[in-house]
Amino acid sequence: MNWQRLFDIQKQLDDHIVAEHGLNRSELTRHKLLALHVELGELANETRCFKYWSRKPAAPRATILEEYVDALHFVLSLGLDWAYTDLDFTPEAPGADLTEQFQRVIERTVACQGTRTEEKPEASAYRALFSALLTLGGQLGFSEREIESAYLAKNEVNHQRQEQGY
């Protein structure tokens, strides 16, 4: 997948949001990290992978894919903030199951936070986060083509929402 293309597209959205809302980009990292945690929780909730007590099936595949690319938006945005757009991103070895892989992504998100969110994490920490998210996408059964297509569609929706005062 052409990650640089997605970083460029994400930068356009981020720039639009910063300008539209009069924000200071350097103060947004902690908000983005929390937003990523929330999106990962929403994604896990839609897969229901951890709900051992329930027989209710997972949400439709399209819903899960949309939640996945919501998380991807924030991972890309953080990479832009930290200037880690030129790294090599490849999936890691998958966890034993979806629950374990979600835990890995969350652990890697926390590792990127460091002790102070205004500090830039090591490139290896960000690469590990991105790789864990890619692995999660694979474990969810999504191809790179599906992820890219869904990302582009959601990015368009996000731009429309900004234009409509979301």
Side-chain angles (χ1 to χ4, degrees):
M1 187 175 316
N2 183 349
W3 294 116
Q4 190 57 55
R5 176 177 178 233
L6 296 189
F7 277 115
D8 291 343
I9 292 168
Q10 185 64 44
K11 183 177 184 324
Q12 291 173 6
L13 178 62
D14 287 359
D15 289 349
H16 180 88
I17 292 169
V18 166
E20 183 72 22
H21 296 275
L23 301 170
N24 181 339
R25 188 181 305 272
S26 65
E27 297 174 358
L28 300 179
T29 300
R30 65 190 180 97
H31 298 286
K32 291 178 185 181
L33 285 162
L34 178 57
L36 177 56
H37 282 287
V38 170
E39 293 300 340
L40 290 168
E42 289 176 3
L43 174 59
N45 199 48
E46 294 297 350
T47 70
R48 304 183 61 80
C49 66
F50 65 95
K51 295 188 175 189
Y52 60 87
W53 61 87
S54 177
R55 290 192 174 105
K56 185 177 174 185
R61 192 169 193 277
T63 301
I64 293 171
L65 179 56
E66 183 174 346
E67 293 296 343
Y68 177 83
V69 298
D70 284 347
L72 179 59
H73 270 86
F74 287 107
V75 170
L76 290 167
S77 187
L78 288 164
L80 288 164
D81 290 350
W82 296 326
Y84 289 146
T85 62
D86 60 345
L87 301 176
D88 179 38
F89 303 111
T90 57
E92 63 183 15
D97 59 18
L98 280 176
T99 298
E100 182 177 331
Q101 193 61 38
F102 270 106
Q103 290 170 328
R104 286 182 180 182
V105 177
I106 292 166
E107 288 168 2
R108 283 158 179 76
T109 302
V110 171
C112 284
Q113 289 175 217
T115 56
R116 297 175 49 190
T117 57
E118 63 269 13
E119 294 176 356
K120 181 178 175 178
E122 294 294 322
S124 60
Y126 177 73
R127 183 184 296 117
L129 168 59
F130 205 117
S131 295
L133 186 67
L134 292 178
T135 300
L136 179 61
Q139 281 186 281
L140 291 168
F142 303 133
S143 69
E144 286 187 359
R145 177 179 277 165
E146 286 177 297
I147 292 168
E148 183 174 13
S149 178
Y151 172 85
L152 295 173
K154 186 61 183 269
N155 191 67
E156 189 174 311
V157 168
N158 287 340
H159 275 285
Q160 291 170 354
R161 286 177 172 171
Q162 289 304 307
E163 293 301 321
Q164 297 168 352
Y166 179 74

